[in-house]
Amino acid sequence: MSGEHGSVPAVVLGGSGYVAGELLRLLAGHPALRPAAVLSESQAGGAVEAAFPHLAGCYPGLAFTDRRDLPRVFGEGETVAAFSAAQGPIVAAFSAAPHGSSAPLVDELMGAAERAGVALRLVDLSADFRFPTAEGYAAVYGQPHGAPARLPAFRCALPEQLAGVPGGCVGHPGCFTTATLLAAVPLLRLGLVEPRLSVVAVTGSTGAGRAPSASTHHPARRSNLFAYSPLAHRHEPEMRALAAAASGVEAEIHFVPQAGPFARGIYATVQARLARPLDAAAVIAALQGFYAGAPFVTVTAEPPRLQDVVGTNRCRLSAAVSGDHLAVFSAIDNLVKGAAGGAIQWMNRLLGLSEAAGLLQPGPGWI
């Protein structure tokens, strides 16, 4: 588990799901991060490459561990010394555990790092650190927060919409919310629209996780399209809260998620009434100005296509206008920009690396 010269060791929690698999795929080509421990209760002792055959050759000899090994991640003198030899006593951690399970794991990991005197940089990909209060989390998820004392250490936002470094811990907004915020926040912050937005977003089946269910099993999704939890999805209050925090505008957001017949990707359409007369070219120019310097957001004249972003950390935006009505289109890969890639983008910033480090791989083009 020792780090290579010049690398920062990375710990992945909840390591056997789709998001963890994407984290490991991206980390395999990262210039400064190297997985040192991958925790999975269900796969403990098994080879990482057996759970993710597409990663064959990337992690020979690396096996999953379980939460009983958390104290030893930082507690063994040899391991801490090896970590320290890389870039000082610092470790990067990603939690891809489900909501409700992630917070206790994160709490244990943070405690182990504190006791070992190791500086931890952490990005949580669950919903557990998206709300600033335990009450806000419980109101949406219907259960007590698993580590309320840790909430003040976290900030939840997209890297494109928060300047600077938020501290040592970040909560990732999630895939539906990422696609929506990338389209909605510039509209609100620039005062282009009235603060009442409607969102329809179609997601691939990987967004539901690795365990199949009645609505995610392939025969139920193939050649099919259906809405679920319309206007009542738990991500809607997250969208409202995070859009307000990023834009300074309290807006209504009405969200209809849809299940699409493809494995990965999200295509979101955000509609609103313009606050003043604008044509599509003016809106596109405003979006381009807002994201000038953002390495992973491209604003185009034509509506984006999902295949142009699948497998990448990129978002493509476009807009259409009819009278005072505006539609903005947002396409991302739910597993990359909406999860693993967005988390690595944040980690790069937390570590003072180039924001694009390890994230410039091209997409497959045809899937």
Side-chain angles (χ1 to χ4, degrees):
M1 297 196 351
S2 61
E4 296 175 354
H5 178 69
S7 67
V8 176
V11 177
V12 178
L13 308 179
S16 58
Y18 287 140
V19 171
E22 282 296 280
L23 276 168
L24 293 168
R25 179 179 72 87
L26 295 170
L27 290 174
H30 198 285
L33 291 169
R34 194 182 74 84
V38 184
L39 277 74
S40 170
E41 304 266 17
S42 62
Q43 303 273 353
V48 168
E49 291 184 357
F52 302 111
H54 65 292
L55 300 180
C58 294
Y59 300 110
L62 184 62
F64 292 107
T65 60
D66 64 24
R67 69 190 303 158
R68 290 175 296 181
D69 293 306
L70 276 175
R72 293 196 291 273
V73 169
F74 308 112
E76 295 177 0
E78 181 182 349
T79 302
V80 174
F83 286 1
S84 299
Q87 282 193 3
I90 185 169
V91 173
F94 302 91
S95 181
H99 74 265
S101 300
S102 185
L105 283 172
V106 164
D107 184 39
E108 288 184 45
L109 188 70
M110 292 177 73
E114 289 161 1
R115 290 188 293 274
V118 174
L120 192 67
R121 302 291 181 265
L122 191 148
V123 181
D124 181 77
L125 291 112
S126 78
D128 287 2
F129 295 95
R130 293 176 188 166
F131 292 95
T133 67
E135 293 77 15
Y137 172 84
V140 173
Y141 285 87
Q143 62 188 48
H145 194 273
R150 298 293 185 183
L151 286 169
F154 282 80
R155 179 74 182 271
C156 185
L158 292 176
E160 289 84 1
Q161 297 173 355
L162 182 66
V165 180
C169 301
V170 173
H172 191 278
C175 53
F176 271 133
T177 304
T178 293
T180 299
L181 293 178
L182 286 167
V185 167
L187 305 178
L188 296 169
R189 191 187 293 180
L190 298 175
L192 302 183
V193 297
E194 295 179 3
R196 190 171 190 270
L197 287 70
S198 297
V199 182
V200 176
V202 188
T203 186
S205 56
T206 54
R210 196 164 186 173
S213 70
S215 62
T216 62
H217 191 46
H218 182 68
R221 295 287 287 251
R222 183 183 182 276
S223 303
N224 203 1
L225 180 68
F226 54 90
Y228 62 98
S229 300
L231 304 179
H233 197 278
R234 65 175 183 258
H235 291 327
E236 188 175 278
E238 295 172 3
M239 291 175 182
R240 290 197 298 266
L242 293 172
S247 69
V249 177
E250 297 282 347
E252 294 181 43
I253 296 180
H254 303 282
F255 174 50
V256 177
Q258 296 183 342
F262 47 89
R264 53 195 296 168
I266 287 179
Y267 200 101
T269 301
V270 178
Q271 299 190 64
R273 187 181 298 276
L274 287 165
R276 60 182 184 275
L278 292 169
D279 60 15
V283 174
I284 288 170
L287 291 172
Q288 288 171 333
F290 187 90
Y291 287 116
F296 297 113
V297 181
T298 302
V299 186
T300 61
E302 296 297 319
R305 295 171 182 260
L306 202 57
Q307 286 192 358
D308 295 340
V309 298
V310 166
T312 79
N313 195 53
R314 301 188 180 279
C315 171
R316 286 183 178 260
L317 300 172
S318 190
V321 171
S322 176
D324 64 354
H325 192 79
L326 168 68
V328 175
F329 314 103
S330 175
I332 66 167
D333 186 310
N334 60 300
L335 292 178
V336 186
K337 183 59 179 163
I344 291 173
Q345 188 178 349
W346 262 128
M347 186 61 70
N348 287 338
R349 190 183 292 182
L350 293 176
L351 295 171
L353 304 171
S354 166
E355 194 163 308
L359 293 172
L360 295 177
Q361 301 92 333
W366 304 276
I367 53 173

